Amino acid sequence: MKKKKLSFDKDLFKRSVQYNVKTLYRKTMDEATDQEMYQAAAYAIKDAIVDHWMTTQKAADEQDPKIVYYMSMEFLMGRAFGNNLINLQAYKPVKEALDELGIDVNLIEDQEPGPALGNGGLGRLAACFLDSLSTLGYMAYGCGIRYKYGMFRQKIRDGYQVEAPDNWLENGNPFELRRNEYAKEVKFGGYVNMHTDERGRTVFSQEGYQVVKAVPYDLPVIGYGNGVVNTLRIWDAEPVQCFQLDSFDKGDYQKAVEQENLASQLCEVLYPNDNHIAGKELRLKQQYFFISASVQTALKRYLKKHEDIRKFYEKAVFQLNDTHPTVAVAELMRLLMDDYYLTWDEAWDVTTKTCCYTNHTIMAEALEKWPVDLFQRLLPRIYQIVDEINRRFVDQIMRQYSNLPSIDVQDKIRSMAILYDNQVKMAHLAIVGGHSVNGVARLHTEILKKRELKDFYEMMPEKFNNKTNGITQRRFLMHANPLLADWVTEKIGEDWITDLSLIGKLKDIAGDKKAQKEFMDIKLQNKKRLADYILKHNGVKVDPNSIFDVQVKRLHEYKRQFLNILHVMYLYDLLKAHPEMEFTPKTYIFGAKAAAGYQTAKLTIKLINSVADVINNDTSIKGKLKVVFIEDYKVSNAELIFAAADISEQISTASKEASGTGNMKMMLNGAITLGTLDGANVEMLEEVGEENMFIFGLTSEEVIAYEKNGGYNPADIYNKDPNVKKTLDRLVDGTYSRDKELFRPLYNMLLNTVNSNKADQYFILKDFESYIEAQRAISEAYRDGKRWAKMAILNTASCGKFSSDRTIQEYVDEIWHIDKLDLSKV
Ligand code: NBG
């Protein structure tokens, strides 16, 4: 049976755009700029959204389902305009309407600065999850921060990364609603006063604090074709009240100024670190700020309908996206005890049944630990509670392991206590204070259980579970690659849009000659689209018939962009030495932002650009090899890149990449993965089969064994293999830089112990040979067009598991236990 589409009134939309241009800008259609036209169109779309939004709220009020609060410091939403149209099933009518008004929909879409309130995979995952929650019809709130400046804009100057502020709110955000009526107060600092009230209860109150007003802005999150609109609620900070100068004595005046300053700083900027914690005081303030406001809101909402706060967990679940929101555990305890007078045990029961924690990394530098004195000074009452949670937990460890020798018990305490070495360990608080701990791919979860969190797993195995990540096919196929999306629909019908497992049906036609030709034609068109973008932005001409070999993701040593560019250097030498060799033309495409203070990452960007400069300008190789670094990699250009990729580089040191999600986005678009057995690559291999993927390198067990036992010396490889030696020497012989010392730090990192880091701690040289071999295999496979087309189709066809709809349904079934809204009843 064909499902009914949502209705959309095209003529009303047209009138609305014209009206908006007039009332917002006092202009006629001819006079409006592109940006003004975008705003006018976006407001017209918002009108259509609001009705659905209200209906969803009404259904939620009547049906009173359990609500997911997805708490996250990051939501990397990307542009909303096109995505909203897709999920409203209004893309085509809007495109037609705009055409009729003489406006190009692509031009309009390009006017929107995508909200970049996230760094990379972690933030984008949160965005995909919201899309899936709405599409599956579950009631949810995303809870986050409305940073005034999101992820910085990257410029490349003379090959170096330069950061520019991302002033995404410059022209306002037509999709948001400011909800002053839901503002909350959040308190920092001061001290805790303890006294007994008239009913004999011990009451704790924070005194001498600074307070800021948290004001929520709501953004709609539209489900695909079902009329469900959830809310991303992001908080901004404002001063509590404008103070009157004359009514303040000197001390108050000082405090008032400080409060104002705090409010103006809090939400100023997103910390641009991925898989790395800077440990700044302001960051902890940000965390407590949005968590306190969100937890207060959730409790308020519950109490509108329910009396017994001890059953809060029946109607709410907090999913903590990594440790960043973990202070929610203590904040919920605080509110339940101090404001709602529950006993410790009652509050603890509610808290542990409400909170769940997702771990996203095993990288040591990403584990959040706060100095006790900072934590205590900033959050005195919260600290008391954490201290008590810790005391009780340490007791529990001692009881549970009372049969062990005391030295072993001490080991357990050292590895699991929440407070240890004068630090507050946020992951430990998240594990102890909730009932679920999940990793984001099977391998990652196993590593957590067997190694990183081994003692916790032994003590509380029931909490641990895996939820392999996924991505939304609405944005990453329908919106990113309309040609392929239409082709898939033509072949198997449109139900894959909400049930990606159906895409497996394409396997039947993977060997079909006509299907192969169509599929590769679409790929070629997408490669031409990207080639145009590259010509425009980089001034480099690339050949759409060459292999587009893509590595786009945050720049991090463990992700090993360095390995990739070293191989390009190796290939270039080879080609120069053997100009007549059989050579499959290749275009290596990079895109990556480096954290502003991450020197090695920044130098790697410079190296990529320097290599690109030399190779792209060497006419002797006849354009067979090109290297492109795409500036300012972000959700919007990512979509163009994914659609055009032939090869998807997922080459992290095995065991280090928790899951990866770019790998899934490129697989869905028919790229073939070149990867290590890491993160979700392992599960992708199971789905697509080893003949349709290029796997190389050490396994995670091998890496972990080397890390534990030593036994790897990169110098052995350097000395043994003349080709490797030659490639590495190029880093310091002036080939890629007049200043021979420029890339010396990278060279040293491979061969010498630097600071306390072992030489080549990410096993680049160890994996180099097998990487070269895999690259060679790719070139060979590409020469066989039929084989390649079949592999590419099979990748798209085997992507069914990697929809975030599947992931979310697993969270629902195994952790959240929530029911769907039924809009047909309102
Ligand atoms: C990242 C991992 C990725 C993973 C995403 C989403 C952090 C801390 N972790 O491998 O590095 O895909 O989280 O789970 O950003």
Side-chain angles (χ1 to χ4, degrees):
M1 200 183 72
K2 228 174 147 50
K3 279 187 222 122
K4 232 178 89 203
K5 294 230 185 253
L6 289 176
S7 64
F8 186 84
D9 188 333
K10 187 173 125 187
D11 291 324
L12 178 64
F13 171 77
K14 268 168 77 175
R15 284 199 304 276
S16 175
V17 174
Q18 284 163 321
Y19 178 81
N20 289 345
V21 166
K22 190 168 104 190
T23 56
L24 288 170
Y25 304 108
R26 210 200 61 187
K27 284 188 179 170
T28 63
M29 296 291 283
D30 300 335
E31 291 164 341
T33 64
D34 292 342
Q35 173 62 222
E36 288 164 349
M37 208 54 103
Y38 155 70
Q39 297 270 343
Y43 277 109
I45 301 294
K46 191 197 198 171
D47 286 346
I49 295 169
V50 165
D51 289 327
H52 294 299
W53 212 351
M54 289 168 75
T55 310
T56 304
Q57 277 305 327
K58 185 149 178 275
D61 280 341
E62 287 169 14
Q63 294 161 25
D64 192 27
K66 185 171 173 183
I67 299 173
V68 186
Y69 293 90
Y70 197 81
M71 303 206 167
S72 179
M73 290 284 273
E74 304 188 12
F75 288 91
L76 189 42
M77 302 297 284
R79 290 174 176 164
F81 189 88
N83 202 248
N84 286 345
L85 292 183
I86 283 184
N87 285 7
L88 288 170
Q89 299 179 312
Y91 201 91
K92 283 189 179 136
V94 165
K95 186 177 180 313
E96 281 167 23
L98 290 173
D99 275 348
E100 289 163 23
L101 294 169
I103 308 162
D104 174 4
V105 66
N106 292 318
L107 200 69
I108 292 289
E109 281 194 59
D110 260 345
Q111 295 305 310
E112 181 181 357
L117 309 184
N119 272 284
L122 176 138
R124 184 54 230 178
L125 184 76
C128 285
F129 279 4
L130 293 185
D131 181 273
S132 288
L133 278 160
S134 292
T135 298
L136 294 173
Y138 295 109
M139 184 68 193
Y141 280 90
C143 305
I145 297 175
R146 184 173 176 269
Y147 301 103
K148 184 164 167 210
Y149 297 97
M151 189 59 208
F152 64 77
R153 292 198 338 252
Q154 180 193 54
K155 300 231 152 77
I156 301 297
R157 293 274 174 276
D158 189 27
Y160 289 99
Q161 166 176 301
V162 177
E163 301 93 26
D166 160 55
N167 192 3
W168 71 289
L169 289 167
E170 196 175 8
N171 296 307
N173 178 5
F175 290 109
E176 74 183 6
L177 287 177
R178 181 173 184 273
R179 311 298 300 272
N180 192 45
E181 67 275 32
Y182 296 122
K184 298 280 178 286
E185 290 194 349
V186 180
K187 299 170 185 169
F188 295 93
Y191 56 94
V192 181
N193 190 354
M194 202 174 95
H195 66 274
T196 311
D197 73 358
E198 66 287 357
R199 291 164 65 180
R201 297 177 299 206
T202 310
V203 181
F204 296 86
S205 61
Q206 199 171 340
E207 311 277 347
Y209 51 80
Q210 289 179 3
V211 56
V212 296
K213 179 173 154 190
V215 183
Y217 286 73
D218 286 355
L219 289 167
V221 181
I222 305 168
Y224 180 81
N226 63 358
V228 172
V229 179
N230 276 314
T231 302
L232 169 57
R233 174 161 286 184
I234 48 180
W235 297 90
D236 189 16
E238 294 180 14
V240 170
Q241 71 217 133
C242 284
F243 54 90
Q244 288 166 320
L245 283 180
D246 52 355
S247 70
F248 280 82
D249 68 23
K250 230 174 155 196
D252 280 346
Y253 178 77
Q254 189 59 32
K255 215 179 106 191
V257 174
E258 281 167 17
Q259 264 184 202
E260 280 235 11
N261 286 345
L262 177 61
S264 68
Q265 285 164 14
L266 257 176
C267 301
E268 192 70 5
V269 63
L270 164 80
Y271 280 93
N273 301 320
D274 184 89
N275 266 289
H276 180 92
I277 295 298
K280 293 282 194 287
E281 176 166 339
L282 181 61
R283 167 89 172 182
L284 182 56
K285 287 183 185 160
Q286 290 183 336
Q287 296 184 347
Y288 183 66
F289 167 75
F290 94 97
I291 286 300
S292 178
S294 302
V295 175
Q296 290 181 51
T297 306
L299 289 171
K300 264 260 164 59
R301 181 176 176 118
Y302 172 82
L303 287 171
K304 260 194 352 205
K305 280 218 159 47
H306 305 271
E307 307 249 288
D308 188 355
I309 195 78
R310 285 167 304 186
K311 297 221 171 98
F312 176 65
Y313 60 86
E314 289 182 356
K315 293 294 174 187
V317 52
F318 296 170
Q319 189 68 41
L320 311 179
N321 197 27
D322 217 336
T323 54
H324 321 148
T326 298
V327 68
V329 168
E331 177 66 357
L332 183 54
M333 286 295 286
R334 181 185 76 82
L335 289 164
L336 291 173
M337 294 190 298
D338 295 359
D339 286 11
Y340 299 106
Y341 300 108
L342 295 197
T343 64
W344 180 279
D345 289 334
E346 288 170 334
W348 187 246
D349 182 63
V350 175
T351 300
T352 50
K353 285 178 175 160
T354 303
C355 295
C356 319
Y357 157 57
T358 304
N359 174 290
H360 291 269
T361 185
I362 63 160
M363 300 299 291
E365 62 265 40
L367 287 188
E368 273 195 303
K369 299 171 193 147
W370 294 106
V372 161
D373 53 354
L374 166 67
F375 199 92
Q376 190 172 17
R377 174 164 54 76
L378 218 59
L379 310 170
R381 177 66 182 133
I382 292 295
Y383 177 74
Q384 279 185 339
I385 293 169
V386 172
D387 190 35
E388 180 61 13
I389 295 174
N390 180 59
R391 193 187 63 76
R392 290 173 183 239
F393 178 55
V394 169
D395 270 359
Q396 189 191 336
I397 297 174
M398 293 199 291
R399 278 198 309 276
Q400 188 146 341
Y401 293 106
S402 57
N403 55 338
L404 291 186
S406 104
I407 183 162
D408 294 343
V409 181
Q410 286 310 313
D411 272 352
K412 295 272 180 205
I413 293 173
R414 183 177 325 123
S415 83
M416 288 192 284
I418 297 162
L419 299 177
Y420 206 89
D421 276 346
N422 267 315
Q423 290 177 320
V424 187
K425 303 193 171 178
M426 299 309 269
H428 299 188
L429 180 59
I431 297 168
V432 175
H435 63 279
S436 168
V437 178
N438 75 279
V440 289
R442 196 204 308 129
L443 174 68
H444 169 60
T445 302
E446 287 308 310
I447 293 175
L448 291 178
K449 293 200 292 197
K450 287 202 200 101
R451 292 181 52 87
E452 306 306 309
L453 303 175
K454 180 164 176 280
D455 286 328
F456 285 104
Y457 178 58
E458 249 171 52
M459 197 170 163
M460 37 191 113
E462 71 289 348
K463 287 190 187 180
F464 284 75
N465 62 92
N466 174 246
K467 298 286 166 284
T468 297
N469 283 167
I471 57 164
T472 167
Q473 65 269 32
R474 269 83 58 188
R475 182 177 288 268
F476 292 107
L477 189 53
M478 277 188 94
H479 189 258
N481 194 345
L483 295 174
L484 187 58
D486 287 347
W487 182 83
V488 174
T489 297
E490 182 196 310
K491 299 294 176 199
I492 64 170
E494 63 179 8
D495 289 350
W496 62 271
I497 299 168
T498 50
D499 179 359
L500 195 62
S501 70
L502 297 173
I503 208 161
K505 289 187 192 165
L506 290 176
K507 287 178 189 164
D508 298 341
I509 56 167
D512 181 272
K513 230 171 137 185
K514 177 165 163 279
Q516 289 183 352
K517 182 169 182 318
E518 292 164 351
F519 193 93
M520 293 316 289
D521 275 351
I522 289 169
K523 183 58 86 181
L524 184 63
Q525 289 193 56
N526 287 322
K527 287 165 79 173
K528 287 183 177 154
R529 182 174 70 160
L530 182 60
D532 290 343
Y533 181 93
I534 291 171
L535 186 60
K536 184 164 161 217
H537 289 83
N538 294 57
V540 176
K541 220 172 150 189
V542 300
D543 173 8
N545 291 307
S546 64
I547 297 182
F548 278 18
D549 180 309
V550 175
Q551 186 173 22
V552 285
K553 51 183 74 244
R554 284 303 290 261
L555 213 136
H556 206 297
E557 285 161 89
Y558 85 79
K559 293 178 189 282
R560 300 200 294 191
Q561 283 92 351
F562 190 23
L563 171 61
N564 186 345
I565 197 68
L566 275 177
H567 171 262
V568 174
M569 290 158 58
Y570 164 88
L571 213 55
Y572 176 55
D573 272 342
L574 199 70
L575 193 56
K576 295 275 289 177
H578 311 279
E580 298 317 319
M581 72 185 274
E582 187 173 29
F583 191 91
T584 313
K586 288 193 174 183
T587 304
Y588 285 89
I589 297 168
F590 293 83
K593 288 182 184 174
Y598 190 173
Q599 292 313 323
T600 305
K602 289 185 138 178
L603 191 56
T604 308
I605 290 178
K606 171 66 178 167
L607 175 65
I608 295 168
N609 283 309
S610 302
V611 172
D613 248 8
V614 171
I615 293 184
N616 298 344
N617 292 313
D618 182 344
T619 48
S620 79
I621 57 169
K622 305 203 176 89
K624 288 181 192 166
L625 186 59
K626 288 271 165 81
V627 182
V628 177
F629 187 94
I630 293 184
E631 187 181 67
D632 203 31
Y633 174 60
K634 56 185 170 184
V635 179
S636 56
N637 57 23
E639 293 183 27
L640 303 177
I641 299 168
F642 294 143
D646 292 310
I647 286 290
S648 156
E649 300 245 12
Q650 307 300 333
I651 60 178
S652 54
T653 310
S655 80
K656 305 292 181 205
E657 189 69 274
S659 163
T661 44
N663 46 3
M664 302 168 186
K665 293 163 198 167
M666 284 196 262
M667 181 185 189
L668 182 59
N669 284 278
I672 301 163
T673 303
L674 164 58
T676 48
L677 284 173
D678 199 16
N681 294 354
V682 176
E683 291 161 72
M684 284 164 44
L685 177 69
E686 277 170 15
E687 297 299 308
V688 76
E690 61 184 358
E691 63 291 359
N692 300 307
M693 210 162 155
F694 297 94
I695 297 293
F696 75 99
L698 295 174
T699 63
S700 55
E701 280 97 6
E702 289 166 333
V703 168
I704 289 169
Y706 277 124
E707 285 174 340
K708 215 165 112 195
N709 311 321
Y712 163 52
N713 182 4
D716 293 344
I717 299 178
Y718 175 83
N719 292 323
K720 197 187 79 197
D721 187 333
N723 289 327
V724 172
K725 181 169 183 311
K726 190 160 125 202
T727 304
L728 292 204
D729 290 347
R730 292 274 186 229
L731 288 169
V732 289
D733 73 356
T735 306
Y736 297 110
S737 157
R738 240 177 286 158
D739 171 6
K740 291 187 185 176
E741 294 309 304
L742 183 63
F743 298 119
R744 173 87 53 191
L746 296 175
Y747 176 88
N748 282 346
M749 254 174 26
L750 290 178
L751 296 172
N752 307 320
T753 304
V754 178
N755 299 326
S756 59
N757 290 331
K758 281 195 193 144
D760 194 15
Q761 62 164 324
Y762 293 104
F763 300 92
I764 287 174
L765 293 189
K766 187 80 193 162
D767 280 349
F768 198 40
E769 197 187 320
S770 96
Y771 183 67
I772 292 173
E773 187 43 49
Q775 288 271 1
R776 204 177 289 142
I778 287 168
S779 299
E780 195 187 308
Y782 194 71
R783 279 180 231 133
D784 180 348
K786 268 177 71 178
R787 174 174 167 214
W788 190 275
K790 186 172 173 198
M791 288 169 81
I793 296 177
L794 284 175
N795 269 274
T796 298
S798 304
C799 212
K801 174 173 171 183
F802 302 105
S803 168
S804 46
D805 299 342
R806 186 266 315 148
T807 314
I808 285 297
Q809 194 55 48
E810 287 180 10
Y811 276 92
V812 167
D813 294 340
E814 294 160 28
I815 306 177
W816 299 338
H817 309 292
I818 54 178
D819 293 317
K820 290 190 180 189
L821 285 173
D822 185 351
L823 291 200
S824 70
K825 289 199 191 137
V826 255

